[in-house]
Amino acid sequence: MTEEEMEKIEFDIDYHPEYRLAQAYIPFQIYEEHYEPQEALKKGTLFPELYHPYRQEKY
Amino acid sequence: MSEKQLKYLKKIMALKFVVLELGLYLNTHPCDEVALEDHQRYACKLKDLKRNYQQEYGPIISDCCYKQSPWQAECKENYYWKYTETEWPWQINY
C-alpha cells in the first residue's frame, strides 16, 4: 500500500465514520415535589424523579 | 449516646442532606423560586437545630470548641478544647 493510499484510508475513518457518533441527552429537571428529609436520606435522593433503586432480577 | 441525642443527630443528618441536594439542584436552576425558598427554609432549620444540639451535647465538628465547659473548671474561660470530650457520632449503644 502506498503512503497516499494509507492517508486516504485514515481520512475516510476520521471524516466518514461507518456509524453515527453517540449523542447524550439529559432532560431538564423541574422541581415539583420532594421527599421528607428522613426519607430522602434513606433513599439517597431528595427528588422522586431521580429515585431508581436497583431490583434484584433472576436470569 | 442517648436515644434522644441520636434522634437529634439523625434529624441534623437528614436536613444536611436536603440542603445539599437542593444546593446541587440550584447550581443548574439558579432562578427556581420554589427551590430557593425551600433551600432557605431548610438551611435555617438546620442552623437552628445544629446550634441547639451543640449547646446541649457539645460540638459536632471542630470549628466551635472554645466555649467553657462545666466539666473543665481548671481551664480559663473560653480556652478549652471541647471537641474530644463529647461522644463521637458513631458511639451508639444499640
Side-chain angles (χ1 to χ4, degrees):
Chain A
M1 201 180 282
T2 65
E3 208 167 291
E4 205 177 292
E5 280 170 330
M6 290 268 281
E7 255 173 38
K8 193 178 176 300
I9 286 169
E10 266 173 39
F11 180 86
D12 283 348
I13 289 168
D14 285 348
Y15 295 100
H16 304 283
E18 198 178 334
Y19 302 103
R20 288 181 63 133
L21 293 172
Q23 289 180 329
Y25 171 73
I26 300 163
F28 200 66
Q29 190 185 355
I30 295 162
Y31 181 59
E32 277 168 342
E33 52 173 339
H34 66 275
Y35 292 126
E36 287 303 304
Q38 298 276 7
E39 200 184 356
L41 185 61
K42 213 171 178 179
K43 289 188 159 150
T45 179
L46 179 64
F47 309 102
E49 64 269 31
L50 291 179
Y51 180 61
H52 300 297
Y54 288 112
R55 287 198 185 83
Q56 212 171 7
E57 281 178 31
K58 281 181 185 168
Y59 291 103
Chain B
M1 186 182 293
S2 71
E3 199 136 307
K4 193 181 156 212
Q5 185 181 355
L6 181 62
K7 226 171 148 182
Y8 221 134
L9 208 55
K10 278 182 174 173
K11 242 184 200 170
I12 289 170
M13 286 193 274
L15 276 178
K16 230 176 159 173
F17 181 67
V18 168
V19 171
L20 177 85
E21 282 276 275
L22 283 169
L24 289 172
Y25 175 85
L26 284 164
N27 283 344
T28 49
H29 306 65
C31 302
D32 190 319
E33 279 176 33
V34 180
L36 273 167
E37 268 171 30
D38 280 356
H39 181 271
Q40 201 178 2
R41 191 160 50 87
Y42 282 118
C44 286
K45 220 170 156 185
L46 173 63
K47 209 175 153 188
D48 286 349
L49 223 67
K50 260 164 77 178
R51 196 187 47 233
N52 294 342
Y53 175 91
Q54 293 187 122
Q55 268 170 6
E56 197 164 333
Y57 300 108
I60 295 172
I61 58 165
S62 57
D63 65 351
C64 53
C65 305
Y66 299 99
K67 279 201 175 153
Q68 205 195 7
S69 155
W71 58 90
Q72 273 285 339
E74 69 264 28
C75 288
K76 269 198 237 167
E77 200 180 344
N78 295 331
Y79 285 92
Y80 172 63
W81 187 249
K82 238 170 108 176
Y83 186 55
T84 47
E85 290 293 309
T86 54
E87 281 169 312
W88 301 106
W90 55 87
Q91 278 185 292
I92 301 163
N93 300 316
Y94 289 106

